[in-house]
Structures are given as C-alpha cells and as structure tokens.
C-alpha cells in the first residue's frame, strides 16, 4: 500500500461472522461522489484514459485508494477462491408443486405449466382491473377464432413502427424483420385453423434481447460491429425451445452496449425509454426487453442477467423479472460476455406468464444427478404455501429512497397480514464487498471474452461510455480477481447459513426508481456512478452466487414510477419463488385497485401507442398522471 493509503481490510473467518440482527458487522453503503459525466466530458475522459502513458497513470491514481483495493485486491481473506457459482443437487422441499417428467418436450412442459394456473385473477376483482394481455388471453382468443396470430402480428408491427417514429423514439428494438414476423404468424395461424397449435405459446409474440442468438438476426450485443465479427449460425437453446412451442419471435430487443451499464442508453441503436414516463430510463442492460413487455407489445421477453440486467429494468418498468438458479437454463447461444455470473432470464407482464415461459425454456438435457428435476408451482392451490419466513437485513434493506423503503415495508406487512408470513431480521454481511468482487469478476470476464475482437477493432466503433468501462475492466489485476473469488466463497457460506433459518431473502430490487434521460447522453452514454450503484445494490447475490431471484411490482413512487420487491431463494427453489411472487402480485393488484378506485373513470388520457386490440376489446396504452396504464376498454 502507498504511504498515504489506508490499510486494506483483514477478514476474519466466515464461520466467526455474526449473522444475527444485532451483529456488529459494519454495513458499507456505496459512497459514490463522482459527478455525472456525459457529452463532451465523456469524450475528454476517454481520450485521456486511452493515451499510452497518461491513461494508465490516471487509472492508477483513481484506483490507488479506492474500495476495490482496500476491500478486494489488497485484502487479507482466509477462504480459498471459489470460481463458479454452480450448485450441486439438493433435495429442497417445496410446497404445492407438480413434479414434471424429465423427458417432456418444451410444448409438453408448457401444457403442464398451464394446468398449474389459477382461475383468472380479474374474475375476482371489480371490472376495470389494470390489465395487460397475457399468454392465455392470446391463446384463448386464437383457439376461439376471436382473432388470429396474423392479425395480432399486423397490429404489433404497426405499434413498433409508431413507437420507433420521431414522436416517441422508444428504441425498443435493434432489429425487427416484418417479413419474418409475418411468416411465423402465418404458420401459427394455419396450425390454429387445423386445430393443431403446438402449445399455449403458439402465436404469442416474444422479444429476444440482442445478446441471444435468434435467426435470422445477427447478435450485436448492442454494438455496431459484433454481429459481423461473430456470425449467428443457429438459435440459442432457449430460443429454439420457444420456437418449438410455436412462439412468434418478434425481433432483437435493444440493450446497453455490451451489457456494460444499467441505464439502457445506447448511442448506436437509440436509448430505450420507459413506457411509464418516456423521459425516464428503462434500465439495463435488458432495456428493450423490459420496455416492450411494459408497453404491452409482447407478454414475454428474454433477457440476460449478469448483474441484475433482467431484474433491474423489470423493476424500473413495473414488470416481472425472473432469473433462475445458475444451470437451470442453458447458456448455449448466449454471448459469453461473463460466463460465471450471466445467464438468460425472463421478463413478463405477470408471474403466470413468467411461469409459462420458464417451463418452455428450462434445460432438462443434463442428467438428474447434476440438477434436480423440475418442479412447477401449483398456483391454482389455495392457500398456495404457508409458514414462509422472509429474511430481511435491515441496514441493507433500508439503504434506498424513502418511497421505495416505505413501499417495500408496506408490502411485507401486507404479506404478514394476509398470509401470516414472518419477516426474520438477520444480517447479510459484506454487501458492498460482494458488489465490488462481482464488479471485478464480471469486468475481467468481459474483457477476456472480447479480447480476440477488441485487439483488432478500431476504438471509434465502441461507444464512449463502453470504452470507459472496458478500460477499467482491463485494469483489474489477477490478485483482484482471485480475491474476488475468495469473497464469493465467503458469501456462499453466509447465504447457506441464512437459508437454514429463512425460506427466501427479501429486499427492494433497486435503490432508486427510473431517473431522467438527459439529452447530452444520447450520443455518448453517461457515467452516472451514483445512480448506477443504487440500481445494482440489491441484485448481486443472484449472479455472483448463482441464486434464483424474482422481482415483482409492489407500488409506485410519488412520480408514479414503479417500485419492485425482490425475493432471493435457495438453489433450485424456483417454484417457491414463483409461489411467493404470485401471492405478492395478487395482493399488490388488489391494493392498487382499492387505492385507485375504478381505473376506467373519466380522466385526461393521451394515447401514445398503437392498440394491439382483439376485435372490439382493446388493450390500450395510455399515459395519465405520468404513468402508463394498460386497460381493457
């Protein structure tokens, strides 16, 4: 350490750390003071960083006394490194589940999932419930002849065109081929006419993040160059499974360039806007996937989650974000940007739709001794599950904006009142240490995976903010990487101990709600480390430790922007998470209706998107009081 640097941290053995509510473990909140940088200042910063001698000197100075050095690189950590977040087979008892056979096809698994669904929730609610069209809405309308996949595809393409126009510039998609979409829809329509749809997903539109291979599109990773350097030869495994179910692959959704940011601002393909308020960010890196579901253009989309990149934008856009256990879904055909922390994930309008999509894309190609067989939650059972214990680490939980903290606390009280579930106070130690270790890990893996391309690439082909990220990623030492894996081992131990007492860990999904898009960032991206740190604060365990996690909307802030609550589960406990999220969704929707009254009462409304209506009953996208409400008229 340098003469004026504070000493690095010396960690005591993990087994000696107190995880109780009265633990004296010190919680470190990210103390980010860097100003937001965008526009010309980003360019100047990049030029300095990339100068042969001055650049490395600047990085050295910036890192000299920062927390990565103190808490990770130079720290004294007793545990050995753990290099992957994979989990061995565990017999995790789960309530009210259906065990599926291991040899079922994707379409057969979808049928199993449909049989687990409850009666329509809105049947128990007053007319005028907040509503997005679900997978089953489309499937039932197709089967009854009320509409066809062709008609819906035409409306979808019209909506995409309108949303992409100069009036809105929503930037939902990087690629959307109308000819291919219509071809798939025509094939699906013929199957329905012949009385032989492949599954409930047949004819249902699904967007795919442009980090996942999906023919006939190139996979760009949000860049202008990667699609040409790495040709897409086949569908990714998860896409092939959806296609086998008859889903209409709607195009490649926009994303933050190389997944190297949390805002969804992309200088090459446009900055995805949040449908709740088009002046706000959609989050990232799966920005387009979250926004198209929020807007009602697709009931389901695929994303990739390497550091909360599915769950963060889901929370900011008010939809469900679901990341299963590492190894539950196949990574085949996904850009290998961060192979020990990243995996596909699901964004959906409802928990039911997340379940259906999950059943379709789960990977059952591996032998059962490597991963448990698939449990599907019986969401049609009443009550769903009982005696649930929710672990809450108060200092971490409360390190969020006032509106978020208040809303999430209210949600926990609601779960206790209506289901009798208990919140158990515990301490999850070394949260900031884990975030920094994950940052070193994902950054090191990203630069390693891209090295063969970056060595021969002109820097001008990479966005300005991504160039800063890559410069920082490339500066991490082997010592920092190895110590990060030691911290991964510690956190694995801590979380296993917590799951001996609690069923899930609960937290807000983000520390802030969607923040404002600034015009000066559209061409350069932005360096907003304060909002970035707040967005990722609660997402790391799902990726760094390979744990399943789900977020569901539980309310809104004072501006009407969505707030998400996250549940993190034991390995392989996806069915339990879906049960809990479904229960939370049901209570939140009822509370929303009680507070808002009839959402169809006369209000000043402005139509901002084309309707995907089914005959006379339309699903409209309207903005009122700074919120987009989807309603059936």
């Amino acid at each position: 350490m340098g003469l004026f640097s504070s000493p690095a941290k010396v960690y005591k053995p993990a087994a000696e750390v107190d995880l109780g509510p009265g633990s004296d473990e010190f919680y470190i909140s990210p103390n980010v003071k860097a100003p937001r940088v965008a526009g010309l200042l980003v360019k100047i910063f990049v030029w300095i960083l990339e100068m042969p001698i001055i650049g490395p000197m600047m990085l050295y100075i910036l890192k000299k006394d920062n927390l990565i050095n103190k808490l990770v690189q130079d720290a004294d950590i007793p545990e050995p490194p753990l290099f992957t977040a994979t989990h061995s087979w565990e017999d995790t008892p789960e309530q009210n589940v259906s065990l599926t056979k291991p040899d079922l096809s994707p379409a057969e698994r979808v049928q199993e999932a449909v049989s687990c669904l409850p009666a329509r929730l809105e049947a128990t609610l007053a007319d005028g419930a907040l509503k997005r069209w679900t997978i089953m809405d489309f499937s039932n309308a197709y089967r009854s002849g009320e509409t066809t996949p062709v008609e819906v595809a035409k409306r979808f393409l019209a909506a995409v065109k309108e949303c992409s126009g100069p009036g809105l510039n929503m930037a939902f998609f990087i690629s959307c081929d109308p000819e291919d979409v219509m071809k798939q829809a025509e094939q699906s329509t013929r199957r329905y006419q012949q009385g032989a749809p492949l599954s409930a997903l047949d004819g249902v539109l699904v967007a795919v993040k442009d980090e996942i291979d999906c023919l006939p599109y190139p996979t760009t990773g949000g860049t202008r160059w990667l699609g040409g350097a790495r040709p897409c030869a086949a569908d990714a495994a998860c896409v092939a499974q959806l296609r086998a179910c008859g889903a209409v692959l709607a195009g490649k959704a926009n994303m933050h360039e190389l997944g190297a940011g949390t805002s969804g601002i992309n200088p090459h393909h446009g900055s995805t806007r949040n449908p709740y308020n088009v002046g706000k960010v959609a989050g990232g890196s799966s920005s387009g996937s979250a926004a198209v579901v929020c807007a009602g253009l697709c009931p389901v989309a695929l994303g990739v989650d390497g550091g909360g990149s599915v769950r963060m934008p889901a929370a900011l856009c008010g939809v469900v974000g679901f990341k299963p256990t590492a190894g539950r879904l196949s990574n085949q055909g996904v850009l290998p940007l961060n192979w020990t922390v990243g995996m596909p994930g699901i964004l959906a309008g409802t928990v039911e739709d997340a379940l259906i999509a999950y059943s379709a894309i789960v990977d059952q190609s591996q032998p059962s001794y490597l991963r448990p067989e698939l449990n599907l939650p019986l969401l049609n059972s009443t009550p769903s599950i009982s005696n649930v214990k929710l672990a809450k680490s108060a200092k971490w939980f409360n390190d969020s904006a006032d509106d978020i903290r208040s809303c999430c606390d209210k949600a926990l009280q609601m779960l206790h009142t209506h289901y009798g579930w208990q919140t158990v106070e515990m301490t999850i130690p070394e949260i900031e240490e884990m975030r920094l270790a994950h940052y070193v890990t994902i950054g090191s893996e990203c630069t390693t995976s891209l090295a063969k391309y970056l060595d021969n690439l002109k820097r001008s082909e990479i966005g300005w903010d991504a160039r800063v990220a890559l410069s920082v990623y490339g500066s991490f030492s082997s010592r920092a990487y190895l110590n990060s894996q030691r911290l991964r081992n510690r956190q694995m131990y801590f979380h296993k101990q917590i799951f001996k007492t609690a069923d899930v860990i609960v937290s807000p999904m983000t520390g802030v709600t969607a923040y404002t898009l600034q015009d000066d960032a559209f061409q350069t991206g932005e360096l907003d480390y304060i909002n970035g740190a707040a967005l990722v604060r609660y997402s790391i365990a799902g990726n760094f430790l390979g744990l399943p996690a789900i977020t569901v909307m539980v309310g809104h802030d004072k501006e009407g922007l969505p707030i998400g609550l996250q549940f993190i589960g034991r390995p392989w406990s996806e069915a339990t998470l879906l049960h809990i999220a479904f229960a939370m969704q049901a209570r939140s929707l009822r509370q929303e209706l009680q507070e808002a009254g009839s959402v169809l009462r006369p209000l000043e409304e402005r139509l901002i998107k084309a309707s995907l209506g089914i005959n006379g009953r339309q699903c409209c996208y309207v903005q009122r009081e700074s919120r987009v409400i989807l309603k059936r008229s």
Side-chain angles (χ1 to χ4, degrees), residues 452-482:
K452 63 181 178 181
Y453 305 117
L454 297 176
D455 290 344
N456 299 310
L457 189 69
K458 294 180 180 178
R459 292 173 179 171
S460 60
E461 294 188 56
I462 307 173
W464 294 95
D465 65 327
R467 286 161 70 175
V468 173
L470 291 173
S471 294
V472 175
Y473 294 167
S475 72
F476 296 139
S477 68
S478 59
R479 183 178 177 185
Y481 184 81
L482 288 169

Side-chain angles (χ1 to χ4, degrees), residues 91-337:
D91 185 14
T92 302
E94 295 189 282
Q95 301 177 46
N96 291 350
V97 298
S98 172
L99 177 62
T100 64
K101 297 178 181 178
D103 56 350
L104 296 182
S105 69
E108 289 171 330
R109 292 198 301 269
V110 165
Q111 183 56 42
E112 292 281 307
V114 169
S115 70
C116 296
L117 298 182
R120 294 169 69 88
L121 177 63
E122 59 268 29
T124 67
L125 301 172
D127 289 340
L130 299 181
K131 181 73 171 65
R132 289 183 179 91
W133 284 102
T134 67
I135 290 171
M136 294 311 300
D137 285 330
F138 285 111
S139 179
N140 292 334
Y142 295 155
R143 289 177 185 274
S144 69
E146 186 177 359
T147 191
T148 67
V150 165
E151 289 302 312
V152 170
K154 288 178 180 178
R155 292 187 175 97
F156 164 77
L157 293 170
V160 171
K161 183 177 181 180
E162 181 175 345
C163 293
S164 303
L168 290 172
N169 292 317
M170 299 299 288
F172 288 151
F173 287 95
I174 288 176
S175 303
C176 178
D177 183 341
E179 183 177 340
D180 180 66
V181 171
M182 289 306 302
K183 179 181 177 181
Q184 295 177 74
E186 289 164 358
Q187 293 170 345
S188 178
T189 298
R190 284 195 292 272
R191 289 193 290 269
Y192 278 102
Q193 290 171 344
Q194 295 164 1
L198 297 176
S199 76
L201 276 168
D202 208 333
V204 175
L205 291 155
V206 179
V208 178
K209 184 182 183 183
D210 206 2
E211 196 176 337
I212 303 172
D213 288 341
C214 177
L215 295 173
Y217 304 100
T219 301
T220 75
T223 71
R224 288 246 178 234
W225 54 269
L226 189 54
R230 176 192 173 277
C232 175
D235 285 336
C238 54
V239 171
Q241 289 167 303
L242 287 171
R243 203 184 292 274
C245 294
V248 175
L249 286 312
K252 303 301 285 295
N254 203 355
M255 60 177 287
H256 203 108
E257 185 176 8
L258 295 175
T262 58
S263 67
I265 297 172
N266 188 309
H268 309 296
H269 302 289
S271 300
T272 304
R273 296 174 181 270
N274 193 318
Y276 269 82
N277 184 323
V278 297
K280 303 289 185 179
V281 299
S285 61
S286 303
S287 50
S289 297
V292 296
V293 173
C294 174
L297 299 183
C298 301
V300 172
L302 292 182
V304 177
D305 197 315
S309 288
V310 163
R311 292 162 287 142
M312 282 187 291
L316 298 191
C317 291
V319 300
V320 175
F322 182 36
K323 188 210 82 69
T325 308
R328 185 65 95 174
L329 306 181
S330 172
N331 276 345
Q332 183 269 318
V334 178
L335 288 180
L337 297 179

Side-chain angles (χ1 to χ4, degrees), residues 32 44 96 130 151 189 229 341 370 374 379 415 447 488 566 580 597-598:
V32 181
I44 293 173
N96 291 350
L130 299 181
E151 289 302 312
T189 298
V341 295
L370 292 179
L374 176 65
L379 300 183
L415 292 177
T447 51
R488 186 181 340 224
Q566 175 180 224
I580 292 172
S598 173

Side-chain angles (χ1 to χ4, degrees), residues 374-590:
L374 176 65
N375 283 335
L376 297 178
L378 295 171
L379 300 183
N380 51 14
S381 60
T382 305
S384 58
I385 54 177
S386 59
N387 301 321
V388 174
K389 292 184 178 179
L390 309 164
K392 174 186 175 184
S393 185
K395 291 180 181 178
W396 180 48
F397 189 100
N398 294 333
D399 191 12
S400 57
D402 291 345
D403 286 357
I404 294 176
R405 181 170 59 254
S406 173
C407 183
C408 291
D409 272 331
K410 184 178 179 181
L412 294 184
Q413 294 167 11
M414 196 184 307
L415 292 177
H416 176 69
T417 299
H418 292 282
Y419 304 113
W421 297 352
Q422 299 295 321
T423 298
V424 181
E425 296 288 344
M426 304 191 74
T427 296
I428 304 176
E430 303 170 16
I431 290 291
E432 178 65 359
E433 292 88 334
M434 178 169 60
R435 184 183 75 86
L436 295 172
H438 171 270
Y439 183 56
V440 170
T441 301
I442 195 172
S444 300
E445 292 177 0
C446 181
T447 51
T448 301
S449 68
L450 293 173
K452 63 181 178 181
Y453 305 117
L454 297 176
D455 290 344
N456 299 310
L457 189 69
K458 294 180 180 178
R459 292 173 179 171
S460 60
E461 294 188 56
I462 307 173
W464 294 95
D465 65 327
R467 286 161 70 175
V468 173
L470 291 173
S471 294
V472 175
Y473 294 167
S475 72
F476 296 139
S477 68
S478 59
R479 183 178 177 185
Y481 184 81
L482 288 169
N483 269 0
S484 294
Q485 310 323 304
R486 289 188 168 95
L487 289 171
R488 186 181 340 224
N489 198 353
R490 291 174 66 82
Q491 286 293 335
M492 280 286 200
Y493 173 82
F494 295 149
H495 282 71
K496 286 181 179 178
Q497 295 301 112
I498 289 168
F499 287 129
K500 290 180 180 178
T501 303
D503 299 292
V504 296
I505 296 168
V506 64
S507 76
M509 187 59 248
T510 59
V512 294
T513 52
Y515 59 90
T516 302
L517 274 168
Q518 303 286 353
D519 292 348
D520 62 349
F522 289 160
Q523 299 303 316
T524 63
E526 65 181 8
L527 307 178
D528 188 344
Y529 296 113
I530 294 176
N531 278 316
L535 288 178
V536 304
R537 184 162 299 147
Y538 302 100
S539 65
I540 300 305
N543 301 103
F544 200 45
L545 311 181
L547 298 173
I550 192 167
T551 182
V552 62
M553 187 175 74
V554 292
H556 306 86
D557 69 5
K558 291 182 178 66
E559 293 186 61
L561 297 168
I563 293 171
L565 185 69
Q566 175 180 224
F567 302 99
I568 304 169
R570 297 184 180 96
W572 315 114
S573 66
E574 288 83 4
T576 296
L577 284 182
L578 289 163
H579 264 304
I580 292 172
F582 178 71
M584 186 74 261
Q585 173 185 270
R587 297 315 316 176
S588 295
L589 180 54
R590 287 184 173 89

